[in-house]
């Protein structure tokens, strides 16, 4: 997951009918049910894009599936491609070696492709390669971790890290006010502090709490792993004898966060997760632990990327959009998943 390069945060909904037959529900945009309003979209003409068209070969590259979110990126992309009869999907083996990813992408190009979908391990390091591909008139869809220049991609699609923090902060602030807690102690388990994405999430969280008259209390930074989440949360809990709320940036590391909470026997606070794993959604639905919500940063964006790649390869726009062309920038919305709406989002939950 990475920093969104866009200051203007837009809600964006691409229903299955708008992108093509068999499309997964992606880029959830609100706390309404994920299929709300789709009947009207179908009537508006989404069926045109759903019909098989020109054969399109899509190349796909992503980092190694070393945690649940990345694994779900590749899984969702393949599932989306399999839903289209007119798509040939060629995926590389995931790697966290920049040079190897460059070589793999160059091999995809040499084998022949119409569109490339790529989540770079390192956006800066892969920029030159992506720009060379664009210069060959092969459209590149930059997924999540952004390249250094828009010249390296035709379309960028990714999540909204700042809005994740804002929506987590707003939810906690609302809960504190409803409980009549005037000076709450609010903790934060961040990801890797050196990453822009972590900085954006923390800034959004701080800004939202400040607007409500609250502030961030004890804070630790983990490494997006269950092991680091458990260790750092144990440290936070040891230093904070009382908490009213806690935000954990990432549901993969949240497995360790929950383990530390259980080991400490703490239950006096509420917790909000981040990204939207199926495990955390199941816990939210059961409503028998401290976790009461998670803020989406859904890997279903990979499904949308593949659907957009197909449309690019067929020289089509998005059904129901007035514009003839695929948008250049797409920022998915960080919906807040709670017990009240969790059933609407289980389909985009990923395995940790």
């Amino acid at each position: 997951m990475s920093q969104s390069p866009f200051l203007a945060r837009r809600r964006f909904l691409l229903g299955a009918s708008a992108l093509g037959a068999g499309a997964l529900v992606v880029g959830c945009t609100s706390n309404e049910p994920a299929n709300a309003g789709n009947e009207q979209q179908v009537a508006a003409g989404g069926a045109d894009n759903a019909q098989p068209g020109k054969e399109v070969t899509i190349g796909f590259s992503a980092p190694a599936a070393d945690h649940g979110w990345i694994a779900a990126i590749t899984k969702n992309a393949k599932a989306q491609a399999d839903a289209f009869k007119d798509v040939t999907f060629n995926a590389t083996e995931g790697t966290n070696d920049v040079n190897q990813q460059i070589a793999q992408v160059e091999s995809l190009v040499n084998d022949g492709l119409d569109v490339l979908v790529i989540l770079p391990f390192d956006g800066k390091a892969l920029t030159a390669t992506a720009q060379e591909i664009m210069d060959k008139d092969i459209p590149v869809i930059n997924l999540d971790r952004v390249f250094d220049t828009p010249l390296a991609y035709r379309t960028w699609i990714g999540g909204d890290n700042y809005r994740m923090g804002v929506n987590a902060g707003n939810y906690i602030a609302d809960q504190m006010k409803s409980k009549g807690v005037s000076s709450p102690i609010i903790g934060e388990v961040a990801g890797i502090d050196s990453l822009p994405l972590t900085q954006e999430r923390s800034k959004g969280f701080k800004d939202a709490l400040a607007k409500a008259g609250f502030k961030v209390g004890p804070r630790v930074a983990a490494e997006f792993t269950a092991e680091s989440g458990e260790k750092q949360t144990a440290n936070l809990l040891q230093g904070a004898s009382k908490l009213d709320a806690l935000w954990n940036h990432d549901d993969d590391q949240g497995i360790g966060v929950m383990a530390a909470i259980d080991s400490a026997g703490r239950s006096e606070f509420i917790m909000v997760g981040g990204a939207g794993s199926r495990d955390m959604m199941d816990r939210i639905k059961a409503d028998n632990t401290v976790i009461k919500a998670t803020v989406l940063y859904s890997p279903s964006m990979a499904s949308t990327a593949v659907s957009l790649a197909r449309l690019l390869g067929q020289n089509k726009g998005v059904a129901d959009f007035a514009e003839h062309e695929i948008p250049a920038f797409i920022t998915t919305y960080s919906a807040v998943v709670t017990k009240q709406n969790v059933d609407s989002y289980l389909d985009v939950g990923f395995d940790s």
Side-chain angles (χ1 to χ4, degrees):
M1 292 174 281
S2 72
Q3 178 184 18
S4 164
F6 315 114
L7 296 179
R9 310 293 177 171
R10 298 173 54 200
R11 292 192 174 196
F12 187 80
L13 175 63
L14 294 175
S17 65
L19 290 177
L24 302 178
V25 178
V26 295
C28 296
T29 65
S30 72
N31 285 342
E32 298 175 355
N35 63 348
N38 278 4
E39 295 82 3
Q40 183 177 356
Q41 292 178 5
V42 172
D48 291 340
N49 280 349
Q51 298 302 316
K54 173 188 173 184
E55 295 287 330
V56 178
T57 298
I58 299 174
F60 179 82
S61 178
D66 53 7
H67 61 283
W69 191 89
I70 287 289
I73 282 285
T74 300
K75 180 179 178 181
N76 285 6
K78 185 179 186 304
Q80 188 64 57
D82 288 345
F84 298 123
K85 296 180 180 179
D86 49 16
V87 167
T88 298
F89 187 72
N90 294 330
T92 65
E93 182 178 352
T95 178
N96 291 341
D97 183 296
V98 169
N99 292 326
Q100 186 175 357
Q101 188 173 24
I102 290 173
Q104 289 175 343
V105 169
E106 290 175 343
S107 179
L108 285 175
V109 174
N110 292 335
D111 289 343
L113 75 163
D114 298 301
V115 185
L116 174 67
V117 176
I118 178 170
L119 196 165
F121 176 72
D122 183 323
K124 181 177 182 179
L126 270 290
T127 295
T129 299
Q131 188 164 352
E132 289 174 4
I133 295 171
M134 284 284 290
D135 289 343
K136 295 177 180 179
D137 293 326
I138 299 173
V140 174
I141 294 185
N142 181 192
L143 182 58
D144 195 46
R145 297 176 184 173
V146 68
F147 295 128
D148 272 2
T149 171
L151 297 177
Y153 57 84
R154 165 58 180 81
T155 293
W156 177 90
I157 177 169
D160 190 337
N161 288 291
Y162 180 81
R163 186 72 63 178
M164 279 186 74
V166 167
N167 287 355
N170 285 342
Y171 176 83
I172 287 175
D174 288 345
Q175 292 297 305
M176 295 299 97
K177 289 180 179 180
S178 69
K179 296 175 184 294
V181 183
S182 58
S183 299
I185 300 172
I186 301 171
E188 179 181 7
V189 182
I192 300 171
D193 262 343
S194 62
L195 297 180
L197 72 93
T198 299
Q199 296 163 16
E200 281 206 359
R201 292 179 187 184
S202 288
K203 186 176 189 307
F205 189 55
K206 181 180 179 180
D207 289 351
L209 291 180
K211 185 177 179 181
F214 302 144
K215 62 181 180 180
V216 180
R219 183 185 185 279
V220 294
E223 299 174 3
F224 295 125
T225 65
E227 294 78 13
S228 65
E230 183 171 9
K231 178 181 178 180
Q232 295 302 326
T233 303
N235 291 338
L236 184 149
L237 294 175
Q238 187 174 12
S241 60
K242 181 182 182 301
L243 285 175
D244 294 292
L246 179 69
W247 181 40
N248 166 52
H249 284 206
D250 179 78
D251 285 344
D252 279 326
Q253 76 182 20
I255 298 297
V257 173
M258 292 297 296
I261 292 169
D262 291 342
S263 294
R266 301 285 290 272
S267 61
E268 81 277 8
F269 56 89
I270 63 168
M271 174 175 149
V272 176
S277 75
R278 181 59 187 259
D279 175 72
M280 292 304 165
M281 289 189 191
D282 287 341
R283 294 176 191 238
I284 290 166
K285 185 172 182 176
D287 196 24
N288 55 10
T289 67
V290 296
I291 186 161
K292 303 302 178 185
T294 187
V295 186
L296 291 187
Y297 195 100
S298 178
S300 59
M301 64 180 72
S303 305
T304 307
V306 168
S307 292
L308 292 172
R310 171 180 174 264
L311 296 182
L312 278 172
Q314 296 175 342
N315 295 315
K316 295 179 180 178
V318 178
D320 302 334
F321 278 24
E323 292 74 23
H324 292 193
E325 303 291 341
I326 298 294
F329 311 112
I330 300 171
T331 305
T332 61
Y333 186 71
S334 301
V336 179
V337 179
T338 66
K339 182 181 178 181
Q340 287 68 39
N341 64 11
V342 63
D343 286 337
S344 298
Y345 291 101
L346 290 173
D347 60 329
V348 296
F350 62 91
D351 295 330
S352 293

